[in-house]
């Protein structure tokens, strides 16, 4: 399988990419098997993800997966966003080449990390 048009679209023009200096929370995930990494930032209002940004260092599939994760998460409640799976990202991208399926996990893992950090912060 080659990269789908949807994957190429998100690789060539990643959605919501960038830093967020005034983020309510930030979280990171690095894939130890390949060294790719992702930092994700959230703005949360009334338990809803109002803004999401990320900086990604990785392969085409990692960039497209981070972009799709951000699209799926924006506007969702924190609890809804926590249920987004790498399978959801894969489906939304129309699949990935078999060697790249693990890359769909990078955005979801960073998202769960940043939500977890946000929830810890608001309890403190
Ligand atoms: Fe590591 Fe794609 S090769 S996330």
């Amino acid at each position: 399988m080659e990269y789908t048009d949807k994957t190429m679209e998100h690789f060539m023009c990643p959605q919501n990419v960038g830093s967020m200096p005034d983020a309510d929370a930030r979280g990171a995930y690095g894939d130890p098997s390949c060294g790719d990494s992702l930092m994700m930032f959230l703005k949360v209002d009334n338990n809803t993800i109002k803004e999401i940004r990320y900086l990604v260092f990785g392969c085409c599939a990692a960039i497209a997966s981070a972009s799709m994760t951000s699209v799926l998460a924006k506007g969702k409640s924190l609890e809804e966003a926590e249920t987004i799976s790498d399978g959801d990202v894969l489906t939304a991208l129309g699949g990935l080449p078999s060697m790249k399926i693990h890359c769909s996990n990078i955005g979801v893992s960073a998202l769960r990390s940043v939500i977890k950090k946000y929830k810890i912060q608001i309890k403190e």
Side-chain angles (χ1 to χ4, degrees), residues 16 33 50 56 78 86 104 116 121:
N16 304 304
S33 69
K50 288 295 180 192
V56 57
L78 296 176
D86 47 351
S104 64
K116 190 173 173 184
Q121 281 173 211

Side-chain angles (χ1 to χ4, degrees), residues 9-65:
E9 186 184 311
H10 281 265
F11 169 58
M12 299 297 284
C13 189
Q15 303 295 297
N16 304 304
V17 72
S19 186
M20 187 189 287
D22 60 344
D24 293 322
R26 62 193 69 209
Y29 178 75
D31 186 330
S33 69
C34 62
D36 290 0
S37 62
L38 176 59
M39 172 78 75
M40 192 167 270
F41 310 90
L42 293 185
K43 268 271 179 212
V44 180
D45 184 31
N46 200 20
N47 203 50
T48 299
I49 297 176
K50 288 295 180 192
E51 296 294 336
I52 181 167
R53 298 276 187 275
Y54 56 89
L55 297 172
V56 57
F57 177 80
C59 68
C60 165
I63 293 166
S65 296

Side-chain angles (χ1 to χ4, degrees), residues 6 9-10 13-17 40 49 52 54 64-76 84 89 92 111:
K6 184 61 79 177
E9 186 184 311
H10 281 265
C13 189
Q15 303 295 297
N16 304 304
V17 72
M40 192 167 270
I49 297 176
I52 181 167
Y54 56 89
S65 296
S67 174
M68 185 55 82
T69 302
S70 75
V71 168
L72 294 176
K74 190 171 178 181
K76 295 240 177 19
I84 296 170
V89 173
L111 178 63

